[in-house]
PDB file of all heavy atoms in Angstrom:
ATOM      1  N   PHE H 303     -15.852  11.034 -15.713  1.00  0.00           N
ATOM      2  CA  PHE H 303     -15.384  10.299 -14.550  1.00  0.00           C
ATOM      3  C   PHE H 303     -16.603   9.860 -13.743  1.00  0.00           C
ATOM      4  O   PHE H 303     -17.700  10.363 -13.947  1.00  0.00           O
ATOM      5  CB  PHE H 303     -14.476  11.187 -13.674  1.00  0.00           C
ATOM      6  CG  PHE H 303     -13.152  11.488 -14.298  1.00  0.00           C
ATOM      7  CD1 PHE H 303     -13.024  12.438 -15.299  1.00  0.00           C
ATOM      8  CD2 PHE H 303     -12.006  10.823 -13.882  1.00  0.00           C
ATOM      9  CE1 PHE H 303     -11.800  12.703 -15.894  1.00  0.00           C
ATOM     10  CE2 PHE H 303     -10.773  11.093 -14.460  1.00  0.00           C
ATOM     11  CZ  PHE H 303     -10.670  12.026 -15.464  1.00  0.00           C
ATOM     12  N   ARG H 304     -16.392   8.933 -12.832  1.00  0.00           N
ATOM     13  CA  ARG H 304     -17.498   8.524 -11.961  1.00  0.00           C
ATOM     14  C   ARG H 304     -16.971   8.193 -10.579  1.00  0.00           C
ATOM     15  O   ARG H 304     -15.805   7.833 -10.414  1.00  0.00           O
ATOM     16  CB  ARG H 304     -18.227   7.315 -12.545  1.00  0.00           C
ATOM     17  CG  ARG H 304     -17.414   6.021 -12.592  1.00  0.00           C
ATOM     18  CD  ARG H 304     -18.202   4.942 -13.319  1.00  0.00           C
ATOM     19  NE  ARG H 304     -17.463   3.675 -13.360  1.00  0.00           N
ATOM     20  CZ  ARG H 304     -17.874   2.601 -14.024  1.00  0.00           C
ATOM     21  NH1 ARG H 304     -19.037   2.630 -14.692  1.00  0.00           N
ATOM     22  NH2 ARG H 304     -17.156   1.492 -14.007  1.00  0.00           N
ATOM     23  N   GLN H 305     -17.841   8.338  -9.606  1.00  0.00           N
ATOM     24  CA  GLN H 305     -17.483   8.018  -8.236  1.00  0.00           C
ATOM     25  C   GLN H 305     -18.603   7.199  -7.622  1.00  0.00           C
ATOM     26  O   GLN H 305     -19.717   7.711  -7.435  1.00  0.00           O
ATOM     27  CB  GLN H 305     -17.222   9.270  -7.419  1.00  0.00           C
ATOM     28  CG  GLN H 305     -16.705   8.985  -6.026  1.00  0.00           C
ATOM     29  CD  GLN H 305     -16.173  10.221  -5.338  1.00  0.00           C
ATOM     30  OE1 GLN H 305     -16.510  11.354  -5.673  1.00  0.00           O
ATOM     31  NE2 GLN H 305     -15.311  10.014  -4.353  1.00  0.00           N
ATOM     32  N   ALA H 306     -18.296   5.951  -7.325  1.00  0.00           N
ATOM     33  CA  ALA H 306     -19.255   5.064  -6.666  1.00  0.00           C
ATOM     34  C   ALA H 306     -19.205   5.294  -5.163  1.00  0.00           C
ATOM     35  O   ALA H 306     -18.198   5.789  -4.639  1.00  0.00           O
ATOM     36  CB  ALA H 306     -18.928   3.616  -6.999  1.00  0.00           C
ATOM     37  N   PRO H 307     -20.263   4.941  -4.465  1.00  0.00           N
ATOM     38  CA  PRO H 307     -20.281   5.128  -3.015  1.00  0.00           C
ATOM     39  C   PRO H 307     -19.097   4.438  -2.339  1.00  0.00           C
ATOM     40  O   PRO H 307     -18.832   3.258  -2.581  1.00  0.00           O
ATOM     41  CB  PRO H 307     -21.600   4.482  -2.601  1.00  0.00           C
ATOM     42  CG  PRO H 307     -22.463   4.566  -3.805  1.00  0.00           C
ATOM     43  CD  PRO H 307     -21.541   4.409  -4.971  1.00  0.00           C
ATOM     44  N   GLY H 308     -18.374   5.192  -1.537  1.00  0.00           N
ATOM     45  CA  GLY H 308     -17.261   4.642  -0.791  1.00  0.00           C
ATOM     46  C   GLY H 308     -15.997   4.404  -1.588  1.00  0.00           C
ATOM     47  O   GLY H 308     -15.038   3.822  -1.077  1.00  0.00           O
ATOM     48  N   LYS H 309     -15.998   4.859  -2.838  1.00  0.00           N
ATOM     49  CA  LYS H 309     -14.833   4.642  -3.694  1.00  0.00           C
ATOM     50  C   LYS H 309     -14.295   5.975  -4.213  1.00  0.00           C
ATOM     51  O   LYS H 309     -14.971   6.988  -4.161  1.00  0.00           O
ATOM     52  CB  LYS H 309     -15.195   3.736  -4.863  1.00  0.00           C
ATOM     53  CG  LYS H 309     -15.573   2.319  -4.444  1.00  0.00           C
ATOM     54  CD  LYS H 309     -15.754   1.420  -5.657  1.00  0.00           C
ATOM     55  CE  LYS H 309     -16.057  -0.004  -5.245  1.00  0.00           C
ATOM     56  NZ  LYS H 309     -16.210  -0.902  -6.428  1.00  0.00           N
ATOM     57  N   GLU H 310     -13.080   5.923  -4.724  1.00  0.00           N
ATOM     58  CA  GLU H 310     -12.486   7.111  -5.312  1.00  0.00           C
ATOM     59  C   GLU H 310     -13.055   7.336  -6.716  1.00  0.00           C
ATOM     60  O   GLU H 310     -13.535   6.414  -7.367  1.00  0.00           O
ATOM     61  CB  GLU H 310     -10.965   6.960  -5.385  1.00  0.00           C
ATOM     62  CG  GLU H 310     -10.295   6.898  -4.024  1.00  0.00           C
ATOM     63  CD  GLU H 310      -8.786   6.876  -4.146  1.00  0.00           C
ATOM     64  OE1 GLU H 310      -8.267   6.722  -5.253  1.00  0.00           O
ATOM     65  OE2 GLU H 310      -8.124   7.026  -3.084  1.00  0.00           O
ATOM     66  N   ARG H 311     -12.978   8.575  -7.134  1.00  0.00           N
ATOM     67  CA  ARG H 311     -13.427   8.899  -8.486  1.00  0.00           C
ATOM     68  C   ARG H 311     -12.487   8.246  -9.503  1.00  0.00           C
ATOM     69  O   ARG H 311     -11.264   8.227  -9.308  1.00  0.00           O
ATOM     70  CB  ARG H 311     -13.453  10.419  -8.667  1.00  0.00           C
ATOM     71  CG  ARG H 311     -14.143  10.873  -9.926  1.00  0.00           C
ATOM     72  CD  ARG H 311     -14.714  12.283  -9.779  1.00  0.00           C
ATOM     73  NE  ARG H 311     -13.750  13.280  -9.359  1.00  0.00           N
ATOM     74  CZ  ARG H 311     -14.061  14.539  -9.112  1.00  0.00           C
ATOM     75  NH1 ARG H 311     -15.330  14.953  -9.244  1.00  0.00           N
ATOM     76  NH2 ARG H 311     -13.135  15.389  -8.735  1.00  0.00           N
ATOM     77  N   GLU H 312     -13.077   7.728 -10.575  1.00  0.00           N
ATOM     78  CA  GLU H 312     -12.287   7.007 -11.567  1.00  0.00           C
ATOM     79  C   GLU H 312     -12.611   7.483 -12.971  1.00  0.00           C
ATOM     80  O   GLU H 312     -13.718   7.952 -13.260  1.00  0.00           O
ATOM     81  CB  GLU H 312     -12.529   5.492 -11.473  1.00  0.00           C
ATOM     82  CG  GLU H 312     -13.938   5.052 -11.795  1.00  0.00           C
ATOM     83  CD  GLU H 312     -14.106   3.538 -11.762  1.00  0.00           C
ATOM     84  OE1 GLU H 312     -13.150   2.822 -11.390  1.00  0.00           O
ATOM     85  OE2 GLU H 312     -15.202   3.063 -12.113  1.00  0.00           O
ATOM     86  N   PHE H 313     -11.663   7.309 -13.840  1.00  0.00           N
ATOM     87  CA  PHE H 313     -11.790   7.672 -15.249  1.00  0.00           C
ATOM     88  C   PHE H 313     -12.766   6.739 -15.952  1.00  0.00           C
ATOM     89  O   PHE H 313     -12.756   5.525 -15.721  1.00  0.00           O
ATOM     90  CB  PHE H 313     -10.415   7.598 -15.915  1.00  0.00           C
ATOM     91  CG  PHE H 313     -10.450   7.686 -17.414  1.00  0.00           C
ATOM     92  CD1 PHE H 313     -10.682   8.895 -18.045  1.00  0.00           C
ATOM     93  CD2 PHE H 313     -10.238   6.548 -18.185  1.00  0.00           C
ATOM     94  CE1 PHE H 313     -10.705   8.973 -19.431  1.00  0.00           C
ATOM     95  CE2 PHE H 313     -10.260   6.616 -19.565  1.00  0.00           C
ATOM     96  CZ  PHE H 313     -10.491   7.831 -20.191  1.00  0.00           C
ATOM     97  N   VAL H 314     -13.577   7.305 -16.833  1.00  0.00           N
ATOM     98  CA  VAL H 314     -14.514   6.518 -17.621  1.00  0.00           C
ATOM     99  C   VAL H 314     -14.222   6.655 -19.107  1.00  0.00           C
ATOM    100  O   VAL H 314     -14.071   5.654 -19.807  1.00  0.00           O
ATOM    101  CB  VAL H 314     -15.972   6.953 -17.337  1.00  0.00           C
ATOM    102  CG1 VAL H 314     -16.939   6.218 -18.269  1.00  0.00           C
ATOM    103  CG2 VAL H 314     -16.332   6.730 -15.889  1.00  0.00           C
ATOM    104  N   ALA H 315     -14.141   7.892 -19.589  1.00  0.00           N
ATOM    105  CA  ALA H 315     -13.973   8.099 -21.032  1.00  0.00           C
ATOM    106  C   ALA H 315     -13.385   9.485 -21.299  1.00  0.00           C
ATOM    107  O   ALA H 315     -13.469  10.384 -20.465  1.00  0.00           O
ATOM    108  CB  ALA H 315     -15.305   7.951 -21.759  1.00  0.00           C
TER     109      ALA H 315
END
Side-chain angles (χ1 to χ4, degrees):
F303 290 77
R304 67 186 181 185
Q305 186 168 22
K309 295 187 177 181
E310 294 185 350
R311 191 154 54 183
E312 64 177 5
F313 169 75
V314 174

